């Protein structure tokens, strides 16, 4: 984009033709090796660790003794013993330490030991975290969000291989965590479906494009059961946590955990009874599964004791709200009713309203583990807010109440980050398109990611009650597959996570990123600033421009115009114009030495192009042009420069830009045109694209 944001990119690895023999076989430049059929262990670490719920003064650190023996668990922080406890089978050898009294914006290291009865000590890897900034700190904050791990039978495949955006081949397991770790986020939002308790992970499954088999996905280790008992729910967490890449990421990145349906069972709701489900024997109470799943979730995540909705502040510009769309909802079949169907319930709605209204953070982000605008589920089982009906029905009445409150209280800069639907998108809700008869709400952006490692579907249908539409979408249908194809992670361009950063000055930059690290879509947002300096509380954009008045500006302010082109490894063309529009002698200087001269006049509109040859390849030169009129007055151009091309055998990096369509349809040089670029700098006036391209030094 002309602001410098990457709208789309693709990294291509060449096919290399092997001419070493007459067969001239064509081979890919990257290859992978099979690990064979031996079942691999669930984990190779002695002690599992992770941190979460980080604030400006505290952190939760969770650990598990993987020896599965009664042990004394010790926590060390920056080399000093901080706390200890005994663990046993009652909590499946897990414990979460609450550490408080910490300094804000400070990096700490930690380690956990498990000491068995005979004194043998097992050590974890070293972990680290950085505490959050204080509420008034104007600092940059960055984070990732992720969801949908090991779903649809796609688990830990030791042969799964991805070439990342840096050209490196990464192989085995949950590759997304390697990619996210490389970004060094301050923390991560885990938005649910981080286990698939209701889905087996067999040793091998075929995957299709919706109609035909494309290949076989191998799971090693496998997890070939559906969770019913407490130990089976625990085993799901152990399976995912055993992945080396996930453990490495969790050791370095504090997380905030939410849950959705698959931690329990697909599209579940309180009081549901699963009748004649093919997954279970007999009729099964979802509430019983819920209670077992909740215990396992608390044991295996950095949650001290209570799992509920909450919020966390990160400096002056960011507060994140973590609602629970699963535990307090009314039954899914009621979601098409003309009367209110709860998603959050009245107490949680009141909490969210109060939090948004009282927050002084520039950006209020809702970590919505179910989407606001995208339809999930189907008739009789609509699982989120939408229901494919333009009328405002069921849970949409609760969403209408929230949107009206945001509008009526002048709350600005509310954004939803979401997942669950197994495709990537940017959705915008707008009163201008709303078909539900309610338009008193502010437009709202929602960014959709996932899966990070599961089957891919969609894009789904949209509910238009609040004017939701796709600004960007990428799912199987986008690539020509069946909408519900359930493509394996092998089709890795459909696997994604999100990255967001808030600058020191309050700009929010959201990126939707493939598991190879390529940016699929991004948006840079400048906040709306509410001016509370007087009773009017007027809302103003944070960037402003000044009018130049009605005085016509000059076409140019330079004495001599210059440009170069048609560069080769030994030559260049340099064109110039004498803007004084008087007959002149035009002189070309190269690296400070006069190279050539000619007379120019009105016949060529005072222009000339010099051909300069005999140059060295891959060499940077500077140049300048003078226009000397009859009385001897010399007008100088700015200094220009160019680098000659490499020779035909030079293996060197080359970069360039391409451009077209300038000043068309009546859109010329506007001195008030302003863009905030990807670095957060405001650029104003004229053809801004050239400033952006120049910064890339092509």
């Amino acid at each position: 984009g002309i602001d410098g944001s990457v709208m789309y990119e693709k990294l291509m690895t060449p096919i290399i033709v092997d001419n070493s023999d007459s067969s001239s076989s064509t081979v890919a430049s990257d290859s992978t090796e099979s690990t064979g059929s031996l079942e691999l262990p669930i984990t190779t670490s002695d002690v599992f660790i992770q941190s979460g719920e980080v604030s400006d003064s505290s952190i939760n650190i969770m650990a598990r003794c993987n020896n599965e023996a009664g042990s004394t668990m010790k926590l060390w922080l920056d080399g000093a013993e901080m706390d200890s406890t005994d663990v046993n089978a009652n909590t499946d050898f897990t414990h979460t330490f609450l550490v408080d009294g910490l300094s804000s914006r400070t990096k700490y290291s930690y380690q956990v030991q498990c000491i068995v009865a005979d004194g043998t000590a097992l050590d974890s890897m070293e972990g680290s975290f950085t505490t959050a900034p204080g509420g008034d700190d104007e600092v940059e904050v960055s984070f990732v969000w992720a969801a949908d791990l090991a779903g649809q039978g796609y688990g830990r495949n030791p042969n799964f291989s991805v070439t990342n955006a840096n050209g490196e081949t990464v192989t085995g397991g949950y590759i997304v965590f390697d990619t996210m770790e490389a970004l060094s986020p301050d923390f991560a939002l885990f938005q649910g479906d981080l286990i698939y308790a209701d889905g087996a992970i067999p040793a091998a499954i075929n995957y299709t494009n919706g109609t035909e088999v494309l290949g076989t996905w191998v799971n090693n280790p496998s997890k070939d059961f559906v969770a019913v008992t407490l130990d089976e729910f625990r085993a799901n967490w152990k399976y995912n946590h055993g992945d080396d890449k996930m453990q490495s990421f969790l050791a370095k990145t504090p997380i905030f955990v939410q849950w959705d349906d698959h931690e329990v069972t697909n599209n579940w709701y309180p009081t549901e009874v699963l009748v004649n489900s093919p997954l279970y024997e007999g009729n099964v109470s979802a509430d019983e599964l819920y209670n077992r799943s909740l215990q396992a979730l608390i044991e295996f995540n950095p949650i001290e004791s209570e799992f509920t909705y909450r919020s966390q502040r990160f400096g002056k510009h960011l507060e994140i709200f973590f609602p629970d769309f699963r535990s307090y909802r009314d039954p899914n079949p009621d979601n098409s009713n003309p009367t209110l169907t709860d998603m959050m319930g009245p107490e949680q709605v009141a909490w969210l309203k109060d939090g948004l209204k009282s927050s002084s953070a520039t950006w209020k982000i809702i970590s919505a583990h179910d989407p606001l605008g995208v339809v999930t589920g189907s008739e009789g089982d609509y699982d989120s807010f939408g229901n494919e009906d333009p009328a405002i029905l069921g849970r949409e009445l609760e969403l209408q109440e929230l949107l009206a409150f945001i509008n009526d209280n002048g709350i600005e800069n509310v954004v939803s980050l979401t997942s669950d639907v197994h495709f990537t998108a940017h959705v915008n809700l707008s009163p201008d398109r709303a078909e539900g008869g309610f338009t008193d709400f502010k437009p709202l952006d929602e960014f959709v990611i996932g899966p990070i490692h599961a089957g891919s579907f969609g894009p789904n249908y949209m509910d238009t009650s609040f004017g939701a539409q796709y600004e960007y979408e990428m799912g199987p249908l986008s690539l020509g597959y069946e909408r519900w194809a359930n493509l394996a992670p092998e089709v890795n361009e459909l696997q994604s996570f999100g990255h967001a950063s808030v600058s020191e000055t309050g700009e929010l930059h959201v990126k939707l990123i493939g598991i190879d690290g390529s940016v699929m879509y991004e948006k840079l947002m400048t906040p709306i600033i509410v001016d509370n300096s007087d009773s009017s509380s007027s809302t103003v954009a944070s960037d402003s421009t000044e009018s130049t008045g009605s005085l016509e500006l000059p076409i140019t302010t330079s004495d001599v115009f210059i440009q170069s082109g048609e560069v080769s490894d030994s030559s260049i063309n340099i064109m110039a114009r004498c803007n004084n529009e008087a007959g002149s002698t035009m002189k070309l200087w190269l690296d400070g030495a006069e190279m050539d001269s000619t007379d120019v006049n009105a016949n060529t509109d005072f222009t000339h192009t010099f051909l300069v040859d005999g140059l060295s390849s891959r060499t940077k030169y500077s140049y300048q042009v003078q226009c000397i009129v009859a009385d001897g007055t010399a007008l100088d151009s700015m200094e220009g420069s160019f680098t000659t091309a490499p020779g035909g055998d030079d293996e060197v990096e080359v970069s360039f830009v391409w451009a077209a369509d300038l000043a068309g349809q009546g859109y010329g040089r506007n001195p008030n045109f302003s863009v905030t670029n990807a670095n957060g700098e405001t650029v104003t006036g004229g053809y801004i694209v050239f400033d952006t391209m120049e910064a890339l030094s092509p």
Side-chain angles (χ1 to χ4, degrees), residues 506-572:
E507 290 85 10
L508 174 63
H509 194 178
V510 177
K511 297 180 181 179
L512 310 179
I513 301 178
I515 64 168
D516 65 350
S518 61
V519 178
M520 302 166 69
Y521 178 84
E522 63 182 347
K523 184 176 177 69
L524 181 69
M525 291 178 283
T526 302
I528 294 173
I529 305 301
V530 179
D531 181 4
N532 293 315
S533 59
D534 58 37
S535 60
S536 65
S537 295
S538 59
T539 300
V540 296
S542 60
D543 289 326
S544 61
T545 60
E546 296 181 4
S547 172
T548 60
S550 58
L551 182 67
E552 183 77 356
L553 297 174
I555 293 295
T556 184
T557 56
S558 71
D559 292 326
V560 183
F561 171 83
I562 57 170
Q563 62 179 330
S564 66
E566 302 298 314
V567 66
S568 76
D569 59 353
S570 62
S571 65
I572 190 88

Side-chain angles (χ1 to χ4, degrees), residues 153 157 160 170 200 203 206 217 234 249 284 307 321 352 399 608 656 668 677:
N157 181 344
F160 178 38
V170 185
N206 291 331
W217 178 270
R234 288 166 165 169
F249 175 80
V284 176
F307 180 64
F321 296 84
L352 184 53
L399 180 56
H608 181 70
F656 62 94
N677 66 23

Side-chain angles (χ1 to χ4, degrees), residues 614-671:
L615 303 176
S616 300
S617 66
R618 292 174 55 196
T619 302
K620 185 172 182 178
Y621 292 89
S622 63
Y623 69 95
Q624 199 166 19
V625 174
Q626 269 187 337
C627 292
I628 306 171
V629 293
D631 65 2
T633 301
L635 303 174
D636 295 329
S637 72
M638 66 171 60
E639 184 176 276
S641 64
F642 62 88
T643 299
T644 47
D649 295 326
D650 292 344
E651 297 184 13
V652 295
E653 181 178 347
V654 177
S655 75
F656 62 94
V657 295
W658 78 100
D661 307 314
L662 178 67
Q665 292 72 51
Y667 301 115
R669 292 159 54 185
N670 180 346

